[in-house]
Amino acid sequence: RQVTVQRKEKDFQGMLEYHKEDEALLIRNLVTDLKPQMLSGTVPCLPAYILYMCIRHADYTNDDLKVHSLLTSTINGIKKVLKKHNDDFEMTSFWLSNTCRLLHCLKQYSGDEGFMTQNTAKQNEHCLKNFDLTEYRQVLSDLSIQIYQQLIKIAEGLLQPMIVSAMLENESIQGLSGVKPTGYRKRSSSMVDGENSYCLEAIIRQMNSFHTIMCDQGLDPEIILQVFKQLFYMINAVTLNNLLLRKDVCSWSTGMQLRYNISQLEEWLRGRNLQQSGGVQTMEPLIQAAQLLQLKKKTQEDAEAICSLCTSLSTQQIVKILNLYTPLNEFEERVTVSFIRTIQAQLQERNDPQQLLLDFKHMFPVLFPFNPSSLTMDSIHIPACLNLEFLNEV
Amino acid sequence: GSQRPRPRVLLKAPTLAEMEEMNTSEEEESP
């Protein structure tokens, strides 16, 4: 037994061989039936590395049909898993990580010098010898985009029900409830009966969960940044749209609470080292709306201050918020018609978009920058729980 | 070093949409 182990360690060249008839079993055990939890504690993206080592052996034996068949089955297997788990963040994130990693491997070991600059000499030995898989890389890139879109859809679906109550209705600043506009004090949302109320902490908990899962699964850091930019944009759009339609939240106190909530979200991004995501920048319209609620709205100087501050809000949005603005009590005045006219006059040269509401379903285009791995194929160990004993190390 | 690798053969791949079509028709054919 000892002799066998020694031979394997010495000779393993980072390739995996299997019989053609075992391909279906390979895809079943490694893709369609795999539970991400089974792989906790192993190298992130292990399925991608195993698949690459199988592709490499088929390339080494110059078996183009085997390469075609394995890649096609892999891609179809991944699509099948995603369809079955189309509301499972963890599963979707897992296959996004692995699809991107397989794509990176096909680049890193393509033999194309542009992708080999960070390879060690040992890694260069693990390049493909016979086939150029550029077209399959395109397919994997298209598949990665599909998986990313599914991931965002799932994350948005989980966050969206929390946004209005957490951002606009929940009062975490002590003493603020005493200064809510009269007549609206007890109202929550027109669609929420109070039981579905969330605080900002719920949003933060949910985002912590997303972030931990994506990091543990080895999803590329650049992709994680793009996920949070997209989610912050959605939080911004849903909150602003509600603000633009609800008189009861257009008040000084909501402005104050909103600014505090946004600062908590900024703090969260910093705490997770995600400030480069651009998430805060996507919230600029909401930040300005919160400030607009808090600014004085009476004199010519106030109008000028508003116009120079609210550059990310359209004239239509500014005017709408001013019209909806609800005084706190009998001592605060409503915004006068003449003040709103002054603002309109000052902003008339702006070439603003006509629609009032933001498209909360808008998606930023995603990019998957090449991210080579420092891992060497011959160091990868296949755990017994994967039931892949029919793979022979070569 | 001195060994110059021979050019690799481009493996043609269907697009993702074409793969989907092939997969769907296979599923339809099977009972």
Side-chain angles (χ1 to χ4, degrees), chain A residues 124-374:
Chain A
N124 281 339
E125 287 174 21
H126 294 165
C127 283
L128 299 173
K129 300 275 181 263
N130 291 307
F131 302 124
D132 172 348
L133 299 180
T134 310
E135 291 199 1
Y136 277 102
R137 292 200 320 242
Q138 185 57 50
V139 181
L140 287 172
S141 172
D142 293 345
L143 180 61
S144 300
I145 294 173
Q146 277 190 4
I147 308 174
Y148 175 83
Q149 288 169 340
Q150 177 166 315
L151 188 75
I152 294 295
K153 208 173 145 213
I154 297 168
E156 288 185 344
L158 289 165
L159 281 177
Q160 213 171 307
M162 304 177 185
I163 296 174
V164 175
S165 60
M167 294 296 286
L168 291 173
E169 294 169 349
N170 194 274
E171 293 156 4
S172 61
I173 303 176
Q174 284 196 342
L176 207 59
S177 56
V179 288
K180 286 221 98 179
T182 26
Y184 291 105
R185 208 163 288 173
K186 283 183 181 167
R187 195 183 148 172
S188 57
S189 161
S190 50
M191 279 156 57
V192 173
D193 57 12
E195 282 176 13
N196 295 340
S197 180
Y198 297 93
C199 57
L200 191 71
E201 188 53 34
I203 289 188
I204 289 179
R205 252 198 317 271
Q206 185 63 72
M207 291 202 299
N208 274 332
S209 160
F210 293 152
H211 189 237
T212 304
I213 290 170
M214 293 188 289
C215 289
D216 288 351
Q217 292 176 344
L219 185 60
D220 295 322
E222 292 84 356
I223 302 177
I224 296 180
L225 291 174
Q226 294 175 80
V227 167
F228 284 107
K229 178 185 179 186
Q230 185 63 52
L231 295 181
F232 269 60
Y233 170 80
M234 202 255 317
I235 294 172
N236 165 73
V238 171
T239 311
L240 187 65
N241 285 353
N242 267 271
L243 190 76
L244 289 165
L245 296 171
R246 278 177 56 182
K247 202 173 160 73
D248 63 314
V249 291
C250 282
S251 67
W252 179 86
S253 57
T254 306
M256 177 134 169
Q257 181 68 55
L258 190 51
R259 192 65 196 91
Y260 175 74
N261 290 343
I262 296 166
S263 69
Q264 294 293 102
L265 292 176
E266 285 178 49
E267 186 68 29
W268 180 82
L269 278 180
R270 273 196 299 276
R272 291 259 167 175
N273 206 15
L274 295 166
Q275 58 273 49
Q276 282 171 280
S277 63
V280 175
Q281 286 74 8
T282 68
M283 294 198 108
E284 195 54 30
L286 193 62
I287 293 169
Q288 293 182 5
Q291 288 168 326
L292 175 57
L293 292 173
Q294 294 189 280
L295 285 170
K296 285 187 191 155
K297 306 163 187 67
K298 207 169 178 183
T299 65
Q300 178 71 27
E301 288 76 35
D302 297 341
E304 280 165 19
I306 287 172
C307 293
S308 60
L309 181 90
C310 297
T311 49
S312 297
L313 292 172
S314 68
T315 307
Q316 208 189 352
Q317 289 166 336
I318 296 169
V319 169
K320 180 78 175 177
I321 292 171
L322 292 174
N323 272 318
L324 289 177
Y325 185 79
T326 309
L328 291 171
N329 49 43
E330 60 272 31
F331 304 111
E332 195 188 354
E333 291 168 29
R334 288 202 66 82
V335 183
T336 62
V337 175
S338 74
F339 184 81
I340 293 174
R341 290 222 176 100
T342 309
I343 294 269
Q344 280 173 315
Q346 287 201 21
L347 297 178
Q348 68 182 0
E349 282 174 19
R350 276 207 208 166
N351 197 13
D352 282 338
Q354 282 307 300
Q355 83 273 15
L356 176 70
L357 301 179
L358 295 182
D359 175 12
F360 68 94
K361 291 193 170 162
H362 166 76
M363 283 224 8
F364 296 107
V366 62
L367 293 170
F368 302 114
F370 174 54
N371 181 13
S373 167
S374 57

Side-chain angles (χ1 to χ4, degrees), chain A residues 68 79 128 130 132 135, chain B residues 6 8-9 11-13 20:
Chain A
H68 271 303
K79 290 185 71 160
L128 299 173
N130 291 307
D132 172 348
E135 291 199 1
Chain B
R6 60 198 171 87
R8 292 168 180 82
V9 177
L11 287 199
K12 301 294 283 177
E20 185 136 334

Side-chain angles (χ1 to χ4, degrees), chain B residues 13-24:
Chain B
T15 65
L16 197 55
E18 285 164 350
M19 265 189 201
E20 185 136 334
E21 269 174 37
M22 284 188 276
N23 204 28
T24 314

Side-chain angles (χ1 to χ4, degrees), chain A residues 63-81:
Chain A
D63 191 341
D64 58 333
L65 290 177
K66 199 172 181 184
V67 176
H68 271 303
S69 181
L70 177 57
L71 278 164
T72 306
S73 302
T74 300
I75 291 161
N76 286 331
I78 294 171
K79 290 185 71 160
K80 195 174 161 189
V81 180

